[in-house]
Every structure is written in structure tokens, then in C-alpha cells.
Amino acid sequence: MRPRVTLVLAVVAILVGGGMLVPAAYAKLAGGDGGASLGGLGGGTELVPAPTPSAPPPPTLANAPVSVSFKGEFFSWALMDRATGTVTGARNMRETSSTESMLKAWIVSDYLRQLGSKEPSTEKLKWASVAIRDSDDDGANMIYRAAGGSYQKQPGGKLDPVLQRAVKICGLTDTTRGNVPGYEGWWSFTQMSPQDAARLGDCIADGKAAGPKWTKWVLHEMTQVRGSVSQQQDRSGGGKWGIVDGLPASIKAQGPVGIKNGWTKLAYDGNWHVNCLAITGRWSLAVMMRYPGSAGLSYGSKVCASVATQLVTPQPGAALKVPQQPVGKL
């Protein structure tokens, strides 16, 4: 019986020893202090797990090179990062052009903010709505007068009260009264830079423009803009085009995009004056241009879309970044 007992004890010893050896060897492979290394492996060698590709951040718009084959008198753009307040854009983003209907979002906001806790009449709220949704000129003019706007030429070329408040409240630096002969009192000829337009969009989005009671209403109306480039009337027109057409579904899925475009083919210079403004919780983008009337409104719409697409970060299909880590040698 003694030899069998001896054999059993020997087997148990081997098993126990093996159980102790494996953790020790693993610790050594992992760079721990678990004793001598296994035969055939150099001391201090590490086995590093394969790195896991990091998921890209949610897409957004960020400063990037923009290349547009533009044929016209003026083209520029500006993008505000609403988290930092930083504005980037084209080198000429402080040069100005006429705002056209892009300014209607401010006119409505300015009127509603002045009401405070009061409610507008049903008629005025309807006019305010169509001024944004349908770019209705009559609605915008009614709200402009209700807000204290004046069509009279101001002394010394000053801005009227509605526009003065835009400069003060939104921190605009390049905005001036239009100086087109015969149209000096028209709000649509207000001269504004893309930089200021991006600031104006942020001013509407953060609540300074319309105030705490009406900001959500204005932003909602800006997400309900309707009508295509081809749906144009004398006093209103379809305005759902431009920047929004250049955004991928991955950005649109993050939340509503508010827009307000402005466009007019002007007889005095023969140009289309086209502006695009879009805002989200993360950014405010403005694109402004003037180009020959023969090119059509769709030309400006496509330019706005192209700028937006080129600013998408990361670009669709961008490769995932794999963290660089040292790999141990066996």
C-alpha cells in the first residue's frame, strides 16, 4: 500500500505545483513580479491586448478648408462654434452684402421679446409665423412696424431702432444701413457680414433675441420652413433649401436644424443676392453671395449646400483611429 500512497502524493504535488506555476508564469508575461519566466521567453517581455478602435465623435460642423467654383461678385461664409463662441470662415467673412429675407428671423424675435409676458394678437402671431415659414413679405413688414421699425431714411445713415437693437443685443460689428439709392429705408437692404450673420443665428438660438418666453417658438418656426427653390411667388416663397441640403442624416438626427434664407434678384445690379442661415445647438453657419441673375436661385442653393457638406467633421467614411500601443515580442 505504501508505494500507491507515495504515487498519489506525487501526483497531488505535481497538480498543486502546476496550479501555482501557471499564475506565476502569467504574471511574468503580464509584466508582474510573479517569479521566474517560462523557458524560451525573455525576461520582462509583455503581451499587450490588441487595441480597440475608438468610436468617432458625433459628426458636427467645424472649421475646414472650403473650395467652391464660384462665379459671381461676392461669396463668403462664417461658422460659429456655439460652445466656445469662436467664429471661423472665409478670409472676407467681415465683408458685407444685403440681408434680404434672412433678417426676418430677427424682426420676429425682436417684436416678440418686447412683448414680455404679454400675448400677441392671433393675427400678429400668424403674420410672425408665415414671415419665417413662408418668408412672407407682408407678414414681415407688419411685424417690423409693430416692433418699432421705420422705413424712413435715418439721419446720418443710422440704423433704425429694430436694427440698432440687433447690433447691441447680438454684438454685431459689421452691420450698417443699406445705401442703395431709393431703398435707404428698406430693412432688406441692411448690410451684414457672414460673421455677423453667424452671430445673429447664435443670438436667436441662445434666447437673447426673442427672450425666455418666445425663443422656443421662434426656433420651432425656423425648423418648419417649407417650400422648394421652384416654389416662388411675388411676396413669399419656398425657403427650405441650401445649408440643410448639405447636411448628412447623422447631423440631422441629432436634433432639429433651424433655417432662414434670404434671396432676391435685384434690378439695380442684375444680381441674385442669396443668403443662407442655419443653427443647431452646436453651431451657427451663414453663407452669403451675389452672382449674375442668369444663374438662377438654384445656383446659390447648391453653393450653400456645398459649404455645409465640406464643413462636416468627421467626414463620412473617415477611418477609425486606432490607439498606438507597444506590442510585446515573444
Side-chain angles (χ1 to χ4, degrees), residues 11-59:
V11 171
V12 170
I14 292 172
L15 293 174
V16 172
M20 296 174 65
L21 175 61
V22 172
Y26 179 80
K28 185 63 178 176
L29 288 171
D33 298 322
S37 63
L38 292 176
L41 295 178
T45 301
E46 297 182 359
L47 289 181
V48 180
T52 302
S54 58

Side-chain angles (χ1 to χ4, degrees), residues 71-152:
K71 296 179 181 180
E73 185 178 281
F74 173 76
F75 163 74
S76 187
W77 62 274
L79 174 70
M80 173 181 279
D81 179 333
R82 298 195 54 233
T84 65
T86 302
V87 180
T88 54
R91 293 181 179 179
N92 63 342
M93 68 178 180
R94 295 199 62 180
E95 294 182 18
T96 64
S97 190
S98 60
T99 60
E100 308 305 330
S101 295
M102 181 176 66
L103 196 61
K104 290 173 181 174
W106 165 260
I107 292 171
V108 170
S109 298
D110 185 54
Y111 165 69
L112 293 172
R113 187 195 66 259
Q114 293 181 73
L115 292 178
S117 60
K118 298 178 181 178
E119 294 287 334
S121 68
T122 302
E123 181 185 33
K124 282 192 173 62
L125 194 60
K126 177 183 177 181
W127 283 124
S129 177
V130 297
I132 294 177
R133 293 191 183 203
D134 301 322
S135 204
D136 188 278
D137 291 340
D138 296 327
N141 288 334
M142 177 172 285
I143 298 303
Y144 178 68
R145 287 190 291 266
S150 171
Y151 292 94
Q152 301 299 316

